[in-house]
Structure formats: C-alpha cells, structure tokens
Amino acid sequence: MSLPPEKASELKQLIHQQLSKMDVHGRIREILAETIREELAPDQQHLSTEDLIKALRRRGIIDDVMKELNFVTDSVEQELPSSPKQPICFDRQSTLKKTNIDPTRRYLYLQVLGGKAFLEHLQEPEPLPGQVCSTFTLCLHYRNQRFRSKPVPCACEPDFHDGFLLEVHRESLGDGTRMADSTTMLSISDPIHMVLIKTDIFGETTLVASYFLEWRSVLGSENGVTSLTVELMGVGTESKVSVGILNIKLEMYPPLNQTLSQEVVNTQLALERQKTAEKERLFLVYAKQWWREYLQIRPSHNSRLVKIFAQDENGINRPVCSYVKPLRAGRLLDTPRQAARFVNVLGYERAPVIGGGGKQEQWCTLLAFLCRNKGDCEDHANLLCSLLLGYGLEAFVCVGTKAKGVPHAWVMTCGTDGTITFWESLTGHRYIHKPTNPDEPPVAEQPKPLYPYRTIGCVFNHQMFLGNCQPSDAVETCVFDLNDESKWKPMSEEAIKSVCAPGATTSLPPFPPLCASTIDASVTSNEIEMQLRLLVSEHRKDLGLTTVWEDQLSYLLSPALASYEFERTTSISAGNEEFQDAIRRAVPDGHTFKGFPIHFVYRNARRAFATCLRSPFCEEIICCRGDQVRLAVRVRVFTYPESACAVWIMFACKYRSVL
C-alpha cells in the first residue's frame, strides 16, 4: 500500500522522534562496538548487515522498538457503529500507555478530573463497599465517536476520573488522510456533546444535564493544553439552575507544532456565533410571515397543532425540522420494521413537571434520548422518522391529537403508489390510511379507521414542513397529497435548509451513531428467570402452597416467546402450530394447561412480577391449587441497539383436573 508523500514524511518524522526519544542510535552504536570486539575474527575485515540485525535482535532492541511503535490498521468500516468506547488510559505524565492510536492522526485528549457542587447530593452518605447506590455516568459524542465513563457513586463531589481520546480530522476535500493542523481544526465547529445520566438503585435513569463543550480554546493555549471549569445546568423546567461543576483538562496529541493566538480563536468563535444568530433571525422572520399567511387562509387555523419550533432539554427553541435527519443503523438493524420495533422498546416517559398545569414540553436531542433510554412520544417519532429516512423511505413526523384532544406525534410514510402508512412509534403498530369522503351520501359504506389519531396540524422531516390547510383537520377525512398547496401549505425548503442542513449553523447538535447492545441476552434471560422462580416460590409459600418446577415444560415455552417477538417485528405469525403440538404432548390426559405471556421493556424482575400479579389470569396460574400441580416460567430477552431490550415472560402451570 503506497502512502501519499506528505503522509509518508509525517510517518517518518514520528518514527524518528520515537527512536530519538528511546536513544536507539546510541544503543546501536554500543552493540556495534561490542559485536566487532567480541565476534569479528582477525581475518574478517567487515561486519555484514545480517550479523548486526542478529546482534540487535539477540539483545532485544528490535522488540523494544516494535513495542513502542504500536500502529493500527485503518480498516474499520465507517458505517459500523460500535459500543460506546471505554475511557482511554493515560499515565500521570499524560503519555500514551499501550493503546492503539494512528500516529498520522490528531487527537484531543479530554480528561474529567472530578466534580463539585452537586448540591442535591450534599446529604448523601458515603456508600459502603459492595453497597448498591445511585450512580452518575457521563456520555460523550464527538464527530461520530461515542464514549461512556465508568459509573461513579452520586455525591456532592463525584469522583470522576476518566480520559477520552477523541480523533480530530476532516472527512471532506481529501483531508481525511492528513493530520489536522491548528488552522484546519479551528474550522471544525462541532462541539463535544456531554450528557450526564443518573441511574438509581432500581436501574431507572434520569437525565441530569446536557452540555455542549466548545473545545477549540485549546488551540490558543500554551503547549496545546488547557484546563476548564464547566458548569452544568439542569434540564427542562430547571434549565436555568446549576446542578454541578466538572473540572476538565484538554490536551492535543501529538502536541501542536504551532498554537494560534487566543485572539484568533476568539474572533473565529465570535464570527460563527454572529453568523448563526443572523441565520436564525432571518428564519424567525420568515416563520412569522408564513404563520400570518397560514392564518389568513382560515381563522380557525389558530387552534390547529402547527408546530414550527420546539424546546430541547436545555430550554432552547429550535426548528422542529432540526430534530430529524436520515440516520443509518449500519448492521445493527436490518429492516424498517425492525427499526420500528427498536424505537418501540425504548421506554416511554413524559417530561417531568413540577406541580400541575398539564404537559411539560421537552423534545430531547438524540444523544440525551438514547443515553437515557426513554423519552416522550415526540422523541420516539423523531428517531423512527430519522431511521425510516435512512432506509430510503419518504417519511414525515405528524403532529396532531389522539382521543380526548391529547397532543401526540407519530410517523407517516408515503409510498410511490400513493399508499399512506402511519407508524405508531410507541407501539410499533402500522396502519394504512384510507380517507373517508365527507361528501358521500350517508348510505355509502365508509372505511372505518383503526388508528387512534383524531386530528393532524402539520407534517415535517429534515427538508420539508407542511401545514394542514384543508377545511377539516380530522385525520380520517385528510388527503395526503403533499404536493397540492391548496391542502398543504409548504415552507420554503431553502429557508429550512439555511438553519437545519448539517453544518448550517453551529447551534445544531450533531446526530450520534447508534451503538451495539452490551447486554448478553442468554445470561440476562437466565438471571431474570431465576429471580422470578424465587419470587413465585416465596409468594406461594406465604399462601401455604408448595412449588414444584418442571424444567421441560419451561423449555417448551421458548418457541412461543420467539414467535411473539417475531410477530411484533414483522407482523407475521409463525411457529404457533409446533408450540401447540408440543404442549399437547407434554400435558397428560385429564390434566389442564394454562399459560400467560407478558411483555416488558425493562429488566427488573421484582417490578415485572408485581405487574404480573395485578393480572387475574396470571395470578390464577402463580397461585394455582390442585392435584399434581407443576409450574413453569420462561424468560426470553431480545436485545436491540443502545442496550434496549424486549423482555418476554411466560408463566404456565399444568395440573390434574378434579371435578
């Protein structure tokens, strides 16, 4: 493989620096003198190269050099999202320990050196060794790279001590193979997105803070090293309240040959902010004008859910089109329906609100949603729409209402044949839309809608925003001919692109790649199953009942659970006949079999058991009385990206019928 001349010279320079640092030349001279003295015969006038290499190898010099020059092959497929990277370890002098780095690339080493003033945890006692306690985890995203810190116990001064090695390079204009210099890096405006997650003792996650770190101040600091104090603000209604402070150190590696003046760096950042502010101002002026025109069509439009801006977790208003972008899942998800299932198993939780007063609006950035592993219906709809766009479908997020006028968001795809399909991101269900004609005579049979949606105010994706201007905003009578401006009022695509296209403004959070699951499905399934067996046995013991488990019957439940998940993913039922046949063979004549399947998106066995007991059918099985009662339980965990999972549990019993 041939290298470009500039890359080859950089590589030679790095190797030369490393050899000088190890004083390899001096050691070679010593060995050369020693070899000539000891091994050169009097009649031999010269020493061959092979003899010298043998002598160097024998004394371990070559091995030492190869250990120090630790290269990686640049063959990682760009599209393959991996698990979040663990922190890279450095020693106290901040020289790289044995970690594979590409010597031709520039890196930013970010160290988190503890936190302070997390006053909410001021009274929290010091956790005892081995004691389960609430933890903080810091998640980072920078230019398609994701990292996760080690969990640390929640405290007023949390003991964060992690390092993250971030690669800094440009992918465009043929610069991807060249080491980025100071000027190049100054033009890379992507911030480092930091999300702080709290996990309680039951495994429930809470979003504590979301912060965009401007790292380029390091380019103007002496030796390419700087220390920062970052104040983290709360989220949602607490976005103006400080939750704590992180001490951060930034360092460029390899060290910069020349640093920029701080004045140059500050000027560049000020120009970017000014440019972004101007673009956002012009879009706001355009959006106001568009809204005035929309209201002039029909005054009743004022009550329709036409959402042009939405607040993120930091309380910042952003155009809704910026929450959606074509997202490719690499090899983690194979089909659009599998993507819908993945979004469905991410937890649903409405934005927390203090006191009454209805729903608190909070559309999360994608990283905050994925790290927390749960969010509101808008978060689910934005992610599903992004994934469907990545699969090449014409997808839109719909904003409207469900029954009783509850605001809701779902996804719509438009087929090339005109078929309109609604995707419910919270359940994974799909519905074909067939509009009813309000002008038809009453006797004419109209298609009855199966979907739960009542009204629709607007649809949008990363390039388009359309307001519904049909006489009625009822979904069942709506015609989704998006090119007909008498039915759908469009916004200018150029205006949307000016603030929502990638790189259009520095205030847009970049989209992170999806990460593979870190959950071992078999191990987790076994753990939950064992815990449930224990809980059932204890519950029956309290009722004065003995418990006899039948392992074979438990095993026979597996195909049913696999079939249920397959049906949720593909909408196709398969394998039910074999399951029924196996159960008939396993249950003797005169015996009765009862089974109860249930589905969860969390892995807390005790919580799942409490939910199961609330079902009279399940309680009947768990508390079964009779002759020759045999119980069975089977758990099957299906893993998805971001460590999301679908947990299927089936309780069953067989007993002799005594009339």
Side-chain angles (χ1 to χ4, degrees):
M1 186 181 77
S2 60
L3 287 172
E6 67 275 7
K7 191 165 180 178
S9 63
E10 283 174 6
L11 193 56
K12 284 177 186 174
Q13 186 182 352
L14 279 166
I15 292 172
H16 179 73
Q17 285 173 359
Q18 191 65 38
L19 293 177
S20 302
K21 184 176 158 189
M22 293 172 64
D23 192 25
V24 170
H25 297 99
R27 291 165 73 184
I28 289 174
R29 275 194 293 273
E30 285 174 19
I31 288 165
L32 181 59
E34 192 180 316
T35 307
I36 290 172
R37 194 167 55 250
E38 292 177 4
E39 299 178 13
L40 199 61
D43 57 338
Q44 217 175 337
Q45 295 302 312
H46 68 277
L47 192 68
S48 69
T49 309
E50 287 79 7
D51 292 334
L52 180 57
I53 288 173
K54 276 182 195 170
L56 292 173
R57 185 168 280 136
R58 199 162 56 239
R59 285 161 176 78
I61 302 296
I62 290 177
D63 288 342
D64 289 349
V65 172
M66 295 312 291
K67 276 179 194 168
E68 289 294 326
L69 296 174
N70 198 354
F71 299 104
V72 291
T73 53
D74 196 15
S75 61
V76 179
E77 189 181 336
Q78 190 63 35
E79 187 179 276
L80 268 179
S82 60
S83 308
K85 299 176 184 175
Q86 289 304 314
I88 299 289
C89 293
F90 281 65
D91 62 21
R92 284 183 188 170
Q93 284 74 37
S94 191
T95 35
L96 286 165
K97 280 188 180 176
K98 291 181 182 176
T99 178
N100 287 338
I101 68 162
D102 186 341
T104 65
R105 291 291 174 96
R106 182 79 68 189
Y107 293 91
L108 173 66
Y109 181 45
L110 184 153
Q111 295 177 79
V112 184
L113 303 173
K116 56 187 178 184
F118 285 79
L119 300 179
E120 195 176 320
H121 303 279
L122 191 60
Q123 304 299 326
E124 215 140 299
E126 191 80 20
L128 299 169
Q131 181 187 353
V132 178
C133 62
S134 300
T135 59
F136 282 138
T137 308
L138 194 62
C139 305
L140 271 71
H141 168 234
Y142 177 70
R143 293 175 72 79
N144 248 24
Q145 304 161 75
R146 285 180 61 185
F147 302 85
R148 183 184 287 267
S149 73
K150 295 187 287 289
V152 299
C154 292
C156 182
E157 296 187 356
D159 189 27
F160 286 111
H161 273 91
D162 277 321
F164 307 97
L165 196 64
L166 285 61
E167 191 176 318
V168 185
H169 69 278
R170 291 194 64 114
E171 294 103 342
S172 59
L173 306 174
D175 290 339
T177 57
R178 194 179 304 155
M179 185 183 286
D181 58 16
S182 303
T183 312
T184 305
M185 288 190 287
L186 187 59
S187 67
I188 300 174
S189 60
D190 301 59
I192 299 168
H193 192 182
M194 305 169 71
V195 167
L196 185 63
I197 300 291
K198 178 184 174 181
T199 308
D200 69 14
I201 57 173
F202 304 108
E204 290 297 305
T205 55
T206 311
L207 178 63
V208 179
S210 173
Y211 184 82
F212 293 94
L213 176 67
E214 178 49 75
W215 58 274
R216 286 175 290 175
S217 59
V218 73
L219 301 175
S221 54
E222 196 177 346
N223 303 323
V225 181
T226 189
S227 295
L228 305 169
T229 302
V230 169
E231 184 179 19
L232 301 178
M233 309 303 280
V235 295
T237 52
E238 299 174 37
S239 59
K240 301 285 186 283
V241 181
S242 174
V243 293
I245 291 168
L246 291 180
N247 295 319
I248 288 174
K249 184 180 177 186
L250 299 174
E251 181 178 351
M252 298 308 304
Y253 188 90
L256 295 170
N257 294 329
Q258 65 175 101
T259 55
L260 304 170
S261 74
Q262 200 64 54
E263 191 181 348
V264 169
V265 175
N266 293 341
T267 304
Q268 172 72 15
L269 300 183
L271 283 170
E272 286 177 6
R273 282 194 294 270
Q274 188 181 338
K275 191 176 169 187
T276 295
E278 181 61 14
K279 283 184 177 181
E280 289 174 347
R281 187 190 68 79
L282 289 172
F283 182 77
L284 181 60
V285 169
Y286 170 76
K288 285 180 175 178
Q289 175 63 27
W290 183 93
W291 178 244
R292 279 195 295 271
E293 292 171 3
Y294 182 70
L295 292 182
Q296 284 168 11
I297 298 171
R298 208 174 279 110
S300 61
H301 285 180
N302 197 31
S303 61
R304 294 190 180 182
L305 276 176
V306 179
K307 194 148 194 62
I308 303 170
F309 295 93
Q311 280 192 358
D312 67 9
E313 67 265 25
N314 291 324
I316 295 168
N317 272 314
R318 297 203 281 117
V320 290
C321 296
S322 69
Y323 289 89
V324 173
K325 175 192 162 188
L327 181 64
R328 287 164 59 173
R331 302 192 188 279
L332 299 179
L333 298 167
D334 296 320
T335 66
R337 294 192 189 189
Q338 198 180 11
R341 178 61 174 153
F342 157 59
V343 176
N344 155 222
V345 298
L346 289 168
Y348 168 63
E349 181 182 83
R350 293 177 65 171
V353 60
I354 300 170
K359 181 182 173 183
Q360 164 69 25
E361 182 190 78
Q362 181 180 300
W363 291 30
C364 280
T365 55
L366 183 55
L367 184 69
F369 177 38
L370 294 175
C371 293
R372 192 170 54 136
N373 244 232
K374 58 187 175 186
D376 213 332
C377 62
E378 293 89 357
D379 302 324
H380 286 79
N382 290 334
L383 175 56
L384 178 56
C385 183
S386 297
L387 288 165
L388 296 183
L389 287 167
Y391 281 111
L393 301 179
E394 188 180 9
F396 297 87
V397 175
C398 305
V399 178
T401 62
K402 291 195 297 184
K404 298 180 182 174
V406 177
H408 191 62
W410 66 97
V411 179
M412 170 184 83
T413 52
C414 307
T416 51
D417 59 354
T419 304
I420 300 298
T421 308
F422 292 148
W423 303 64
E424 177 46 64
S425 57
L426 295 179
T427 63
H429 293 158
R430 298 164 66 254
Y431 309 96
I432 303 297
H433 172 67
K434 291 175 182 168
T436 57
N437 188 348
D439 300 327
E440 287 279 335
V443 290
E445 192 177 342
Q446 299 276 16
K448 196 170 182 183
L450 299 171
Y451 45 76
Y453 318 121
R454 294 292 177 266
T455 67
I456 182 165
C458 64
V459 300
F460 67 88
N461 62 16
H462 63 303
Q463 293 174 327
M464 299 168 70
F465 183 95
L466 301 117
N468 181 6
C469 52
Q470 294 169 64
S472 168
D473 63 351
V475 178
E476 60 185 11
T477 60
C478 205
V479 177
F480 287 92
D481 180 3
L482 302 180
N483 295 317
D484 186 346
E485 294 194 13
S486 68
K487 293 181 170 63
W488 294 92
K489 179 172 172 58
M491 268 195 172
S492 157
E493 289 190 29
E494 284 302 311
I496 292 168
K497 195 186 288 183
S498 71
V499 287
C500 297
T505 65
T506 53
S507 61
L508 278 185
F511 268 48
L514 295 182
C515 286
S517 178
T518 56
I519 296 170
D520 186 318
S522 301
V523 170
T524 310
S525 300
N526 281 336
E527 284 175 355
I528 298 173
E529 195 170 303
M530 289 300 110
Q531 290 170 26
L532 287 175
R533 280 196 177 200
L534 196 64
L535 290 165
V536 170
S537 299
E538 286 176 354
H539 186 74
R540 287 177 63 83
K541 188 178 177 183
D542 291 344
L543 297 172
L545 301 170
T546 57
T547 306
V548 182
W549 295 101
E550 188 172 312
D551 289 342
Q552 176 61 13
L553 185 59
S554 295
Y555 181 69
L556 295 184
L557 304 178
S558 293
L561 300 183
S563 175
Y564 298 148
E565 183 61 22
F566 183 74
E567 188 175 353
R568 286 287 180 103
T569 308
T570 62
S571 305
I572 299 167
S573 179
N576 201 33
E577 301 82 2
E578 293 90 339
F579 168 64
Q580 290 183 0
D581 189 57
I583 293 298
R584 286 193 190 99
R585 288 174 176 278
V587 179
D589 290 342
H591 284 64
T592 300
F593 171 84
K594 289 181 180 178
F596 177 80
I598 191 166
H599 165 253
F600 299 100
V601 295
Y602 51 80
R603 305 189 301 279
N604 187 323
R606 194 171 288 276
R607 182 178 162 195
F609 183 65
T611 305
C612 292
L613 282 178
R614 287 201 287 273
S615 163
F617 301 108
C618 188
E619 194 197 17
E620 194 179 311
I621 292 169
I622 291 170
C623 307
C624 180
R625 298 168 183 266
D627 187 20
Q628 297 179 22
V629 175
R630 297 291 180 269
L631 292 172
V633 62
R634 192 65 170 172
V635 176
R636 180 73 168 85
V637 174
F638 297 87
T639 58
Y640 287 91
E642 298 297 329
S643 298
C645 59
V647 180
W648 283 96
I649 300 172
M650 192 177 213
F651 290 100
C653 69
K654 67 175 185 180
Y655 58 93
R656 191 157 135 195
S657 307
V658 181
L659 298 173

